[in-house]
Amino acid sequence: MKKRISIRDLAAQLDVSVTTISFILNGRAEEKRISAQLVERVLKHVKEVGYRPNSLARSLRTGKSHIICLMVEDIANPFFANIARLIEERAYKSGYKIMYCSTDNSLVKTREMIHMFRERHVDGFIIAPPEGVDEEINALINDGRPVILFDRTLPQVSTDHVMIDNAASTYLAVKHLVAEGFKNIAFITLDSLQSQMQGRLEGYERALREHNLNFHIKEVAFTLDEENTIRHIAAFLQRKKEVDAILFGTNYLAIRGLKAINQLKGQIAPKLGIVAFDDHDLFELNSPSITAIAQPIEEMADKVITLLLNKLNSLNKKKPNQSVLMNTKLVIRESSKGAGPELTVVSRASS
Amino acid sequence: MKKRISIRDLAAQLDVSVTTISFILNGRAEEKRISAQLVERVLKHVKEVGYRPNSLARSLRTGKSHIICLMVEDIANPFFANIARLIEERAYKSGYKIMYCSTDNSLVKTREMIHMFRERHVDGFIIAPPEGVDEEINALINDGRPVILFDRTLPQVSTDHVMIDNAASTYLAVKHLVAEGFKNIAFITLDSLQSQMQGRLEGYERALREHNLNFHIKEVAFTLDEENTIRHIAAFLQRKKEVDAILFGTNYLAIRGLKAINQLKGQIAPKLGIVAFDDHDLFELNSPSITAIAQPIEEMADKVITLLLNKLNSLNKKKPNQSVLMNTKLVIRESSKGAGPELTVVSRASS
DNA sequence: CTGAAAGCGCTAACAG
DNA sequence: CTGTTAGCGCTTTCAG
């Protein structure tokens, strides 16, 4: 209804030029040697009429928006939701707003999103990228828009990264299961070539090889819905009766796997060792409580936003890219307790 | 690096006026009787050079943005994360993008957010509002920006709503617990005056009153962190030894409550009846599995986005406001099984 | 069918 | 210190 007030109206009402007002509003009064009393008069009036500059116009003019785009695989996934929350909080404190969106790991959707955010002059990007968007992301970087990648890398893209040591995480988890006496450790993962999943697979295989144990790998199609994932996992477990422990590659695979195991009660080994990737609020309550590889979510969020703000504040100076590799923590609970520890002790600690 | 191409460049390259290109790009070629062959030439070239109109400029000019703002209490809360996900998906299919943000139930933050989104010409709002933003939201509505409220109402605001029947939900949950033989049913809730929490409280009280049972209400401060919430709940349960069942007012209270109960093993009644508000992925896996009041998330997301799109498509026609009240579903699992059903059967079914 | 031109609201170079 | 003015890139009216 009511027409928004513009800087022009303000100028007319105050009998001052728009330039002056613009300078005052942008904190350049001193620099431009505008009298303190005028500054005060303007500020007072601005407050009275509740004027707020149109940020769209400002953005169009300056190319800046104070908005950061956060693209994750699925905002309903607790890992991403929590990290998004923390990033939003920290960004907000530094005067930035966050626009987030889910990529669904879809190349097409991600491309479209990148385009649309770029058009809207988003200042920087934090992305957990699907495979294949290397080109678009490079275009972004060449365009001078800072990009931080997290959770996974992209082969062709060179920029700041925040990652966990996936291979070391699964490696140590498997060692733990072996130490607990498990012999036939399965790895239930996704059929994904993404770097983080490949890393997890690598750690699993390396640990098994070191102990001369057999691989039991089940790759679930990424596109499968919950119900079908459960069915596939259940079928796998029924077929592989020898499996005595499972390492799950992602948080939702673990949950779906637990449901599958639940349905199979009595049909499979009663005391299956279990380790999940990503911790979960309810894992400690489960019986048995579930051992999990916990990602350092707070530190990751912190690092990601710090790196981005740094880049944002030193746009022209080409700094070398930083690649941050973080350690996970194996939270040991009841689900990975085995018959008893083996005697084999291996001293190699990291990947 | 590379300068973005503008409609002006296009016009020069094609030796056609910007107007013509603009019309063609906006699908008004026919209406403006532009020759099919010219249309084709332009479209072909646009595709070749990969031109994409600057949506910021377009937005500044038209006042539209094809962006919807979704404000929830906390995007890391599974209920909100899941509904956000569904809304995003459906909006996306209709050509709208979603910007979401968490309000933290903070009045100040919410106000600021509303201002900033309004400035950026967001087309419509979907809000789960904190108390006290009535004024800002009314300003939005008066400004012609469609607003849909969900999860809770605001006393002073009249617009479309999507809500569940909170009172009926807790009422039926309590009846169920009573039928299972529980006598001292506690309600652990927030110290919040928000409509949805008040509704839940009301249903609880009504059911107890009908059965002449004692109230056992614990209001946890909204601002408490996880650890302290657990401590408060534990203290409450230790003090009230007579409590034999608990109804939790929100999903995270239920989780924190379960953790408290877990810590108190042995110190309190071994077989506490439990019902949670909001279902959760892992509730069916818990032992005992947890009975929950499940909100119809998909239907809610559907309804919310449908209502908003309707409003968006008929901006001037003032339609009467729609208030949608949805039913929840009590998913009965092991945690609410009591000693045995009582003989009392009450026939009133809804609130 | 097409072109010129007027803004949307703001910033900032330039000229007093 | 302050005002004029030229755009940012697009849509749209109005006049060919």
Side-chain angles (χ1 to χ4, degrees):
Chain A
M1 303 276 113
K2 213 171 53 200
K3 195 83 184 56
R4 279 294 292 290
I5 195 168
S6 88
I7 199 171
R8 242 189 196 62
D9 304 326
L10 236 48
Q13 291 163 12
L14 285 163
D15 200 27
V16 170
S17 85
V18 287
T19 316
T20 309
I21 300 185
S22 173
F23 282 145
I24 293 177
L25 258 30
N26 291 308
R28 302 175 57 187
E30 196 138 350
E31 170 192 343
K32 295 294 176 178
R33 303 168 47 103
I34 296 172
S35 78
Q37 107 188 356
L38 179 57
V39 170
E40 197 187 339
R41 189 160 73 94
V42 170
L43 256 26
K44 181 154 168 280
H45 187 250
V46 161
K47 184 156 244 173
E48 267 173 29
V49 299
Y51 166 77
R52 303 187 50 113
N54 179 322
S55 43
L56 213 54
R58 176 183 284 179
S59 223
L60 180 58
R61 183 62 229 234
T62 62
K64 302 262 152 288
S65 61
H66 274 106
I67 292 187
I68 291 169
C69 168
L70 173 58
M71 307 184 81
V72 299
E73 182 178 313
D74 177 3
I75 194 68
N77 179 324
F79 168 67
F80 289 118
N82 279 306
I83 217 161
R85 190 71 178 75
L86 293 166
I87 289 176
E88 181 190 341
E89 203 171 288
R90 296 196 182 21
Y92 190 74
K93 281 186 190 144
S94 306
Y96 282 89
K97 309 283 180 292
I98 297 279
M99 270 187 94
Y100 17 43
C101 65
S102 308
T103 66
D104 281 336
N105 266 350
S106 146
L107 192 52
V108 178
K109 188 175 174 195
T110 307
R111 277 191 185 136
E112 227 175 286
M113 289 290 191
I114 290 180
H115 282 307
M116 102 118 198
F117 283 112
R118 197 228 285 249
E119 275 157 33
R120 301 197 84 85
H121 291 192
V122 162
D123 288 348
F125 290 79
I126 299 171
I127 310 183
E131 295 169 66
V133 288
D134 304 58
E135 204 177 307
E136 277 75 18
I137 293 188
N138 279 325
L140 236 36
I141 296 171
N142 289 332
D143 206 41
R145 309 257 157 215
V147 178
I148 313 288
L149 259 32
F150 81 105
D151 192 55
R152 42 195 106 162
T153 55
L154 240 30
Q156 325 256 16
V157 175
S158 133
T159 185
D160 287 359
H161 281 94
V162 175
M163 228 66 60
I164 53 163
D165 191 337
N166 285 288
S169 305
T170 47
Y171 176 83
L172 291 174
V174 171
K175 300 290 271 192
H176 164 66
L177 286 168
V178 171
E180 289 289 331
F182 294 103
K183 301 270 184 233
N184 284 286
I185 302 167
F187 182 45
I188 298 188
T189 183
L190 295 176
D191 66 340
S192 160
L193 297 178
Q194 293 181 105
S195 67
Q196 84 283 19
M197 298 316 291
Q198 291 300 307
R200 294 173 195 182
L201 178 61
E202 185 193 317
Y204 164 81
E205 291 186 340
R206 183 151 51 82
L208 288 196
R209 239 182 271 114
E210 277 182 18
H211 290 278
N212 278 314
L213 293 173
N214 288 329
F215 292 0
H216 304 280
I217 298 172
K218 168 67 187 170
E219 294 190 338
V220 178
F222 171 75
T223 47
L224 239 46
D225 61 13
E226 163 144 25
E227 198 187 333
N228 279 308
T229 310
I230 293 175
R231 276 170 40 195
H232 272 77
I233 295 177
F236 171 77
L237 293 176
Q238 278 182 305
R239 212 169 53 236
K240 302 276 235 170
K241 298 284 189 201
E242 69 274 28
V243 164
D244 57 5
I246 310 175
L247 170 61
F248 288 102
T250 77
N251 53 4
Y252 59 92
L253 282 176
I255 292 174
R256 294 172 184 185
L258 288 172
K259 290 187 181 174
I261 293 169
N262 207 36
Q263 288 175 9
L264 254 39
K265 249 176 209 156
Q267 295 178 54
I268 52 174
K271 184 72 182 72
L272 223 40
I274 288 174
V275 177
F277 210 107
D278 281 345
D279 203 357
H280 190 292
D281 233 3
L282 286 182
F283 279 170
E284 69 172 270
L285 293 178
N286 203 72
S287 33
S289 56
I290 306 291
T291 295
I293 296 169
Q295 301 199 43
I297 294 190
E298 302 230 353
E299 289 81 351
M300 288 176 82
D302 253 342
K303 199 70 203 172
V304 160
I305 194 71
T306 306
L307 284 177
L308 185 57
L309 291 176
N310 277 348
K311 275 209 160 161
L312 248 15
N313 293 331
S314 55
L315 268 187
N316 6 27
K317 310 153 207 158
K318 280 265 174 279
K319 286 197 196 162
N321 292 321
Q322 288 200 48
S323 203
V324 179
L325 197 65
M326 297 190 158
N327 289 317
T328 55
K329 199 175 134 202
L330 185 64
V331 181
I332 298 177
R333 302 203 180 92
E334 298 159 7
S335 73
S336 59
K337 292 263 189 302
E342 289 263 299
L343 287 181
T344 336
V345 173
V346 180
S347 60
R348 280 192 61 190
S350 99
S351 77
Chain B
M1 301 282 110
K2 213 170 53 201
K3 195 84 183 55
R4 278 293 291 290
I5 194 168
S6 89
I7 197 171
R8 241 188 196 63
D9 304 327
L10 237 49
Q13 291 163 12
L14 286 163
D15 200 26
V16 171
S17 87
V18 287
T19 317
T20 308
I21 300 185
S22 175
F23 282 146
I24 293 177
L25 257 30
N26 290 308
R28 302 175 59 187
E30 195 137 352
E31 169 193 344
K32 294 295 176 182
R33 304 168 48 102
I34 296 171
S35 76
Q37 110 190 353
L38 179 57
V39 170
E40 197 188 341
R41 189 160 73 94
V42 171
L43 257 26
K44 182 155 167 279
H45 187 250
V46 161
K47 183 156 245 171
E48 267 174 27
V49 299
Y51 166 77
R52 304 187 49 114
N54 178 321
S55 44
L56 214 53
R58 176 183 283 178
S59 219
L60 179 60
R61 180 65 229 234
T62 61
K64 302 262 151 287
S65 63
H66 275 109
I67 291 188
I68 292 169
C69 167
L70 173 58
M71 306 184 80
V72 299
E73 182 180 313
D74 176 3
I75 194 67
N77 178 323
F79 168 67
F80 288 119
N82 280 306
I83 215 161
R85 191 70 179 71
L86 293 166
I87 289 177
E88 181 190 339
E89 203 172 287
R90 301 212 184 1
Y92 190 73
K93 281 185 189 144
S94 305
Y96 282 90
K97 309 284 180 291
I98 297 279
M99 270 187 92
Y100 16 41
C101 64
S102 308
T103 66
D104 280 335
N105 267 348
S106 147
L107 193 51
V108 178
K109 187 174 175 197
T110 308
R111 277 193 185 133
E112 227 174 289
M113 290 292 192
I114 290 179
H115 283 306
M116 102 117 198
F117 283 113
R118 195 228 284 249
E119 275 157 34
R120 301 198 84 85
H121 290 193
V122 162
D123 288 348
F125 290 80
I126 299 171
I127 309 184
E131 293 169 68
V133 289
D134 304 60
E135 205 176 306
E136 278 74 18
I137 294 188
N138 278 325
L140 236 36
I141 297 171
N142 289 331
D143 205 42
R145 309 255 157 217
V147 178
I148 312 288
L149 259 32
F150 81 105
D151 192 54
R152 40 195 107 161
T153 55
L154 242 29
Q156 325 257 15
V157 175
S158 134
T159 184
D160 288 359
H161 282 93
V162 176
M163 228 65 60
I164 53 163
D165 192 338
N166 285 287
S169 304
T170 47
Y171 176 84
L172 292 174
V174 172
K175 299 290 271 192
H176 163 67
L177 286 168
V178 170
E180 289 288 334
F182 294 103
K183 300 273 183 227
N184 285 286
I185 302 166
F187 183 45
I188 298 188
T189 183
L190 296 175
D191 66 340
S192 160
L193 298 177
Q194 295 181 105
S195 68
Q196 84 284 17
M197 298 317 291
Q198 291 299 305
R200 294 173 194 182
L201 178 61
E202 185 193 318
Y204 165 80
E205 292 186 340
R206 184 150 52 80
L208 287 196
R209 240 182 269 113
E210 278 183 18
H211 289 279
N212 280 312
L213 293 172
N214 289 327
F215 291 2
H216 304 280
I217 298 173
K218 168 68 185 169
E219 294 190 336
V220 177
F222 172 74
T223 47
L224 239 47
D225 62 14
E226 164 144 25
E227 199 187 331
N228 280 307
T229 310
I230 292 175
R231 277 169 38 194
H232 273 77
I233 294 177
F236 170 78
L237 293 176
Q238 279 181 305
R239 213 169 54 236
K240 302 276 236 170
K241 298 284 189 201
E242 70 273 28
V243 164
D244 58 5
I246 310 175
L247 170 60
F248 289 101
T250 78
N251 52 4
Y252 59 93
L253 283 175
I255 291 174
R256 293 171 185 186
L258 288 172
K259 290 186 181 174
I261 293 170
N262 206 36
Q263 289 174 9
L264 254 40
K265 250 177 209 154
Q267 296 177 54
I268 53 174
K271 184 71 182 71
L272 224 38
I274 287 173
V275 177
F277 210 109
D278 282 345
D279 203 358
H280 190 292
D281 232 4
L282 287 182
F283 281 170
E284 68 171 272
L285 293 179
N286 204 72
S287 26
S289 55
I290 307 291
T291 296
I293 296 169
Q295 299 199 45
I297 294 191
E298 302 230 352
E299 290 81 351
M300 290 178 81
D302 253 341
K303 200 68 202 173
V304 160
I305 194 71
T306 307
L307 284 176
L308 186 57
L309 292 176
N310 277 348
K311 275 210 160 161
L312 248 16
N313 294 331
S314 56
L315 269 188
N316 5 28
K317 310 153 206 159
K318 280 263 175 282
K319 285 197 197 164
N321 292 321
Q322 288 201 50
S323 203
V324 179
L325 197 65
M326 297 192 157
N327 289 317
T328 56
K329 200 177 135 202
L330 185 64
V331 182
I332 298 175
R333 302 203 180 92
E334 297 160 6
S335 73
S336 59
K337 291 261 189 301
E342 290 264 296
L343 285 181
T344 337
V345 174
V346 181
S347 59
R348 281 193 57 190
S350 99
S351 76

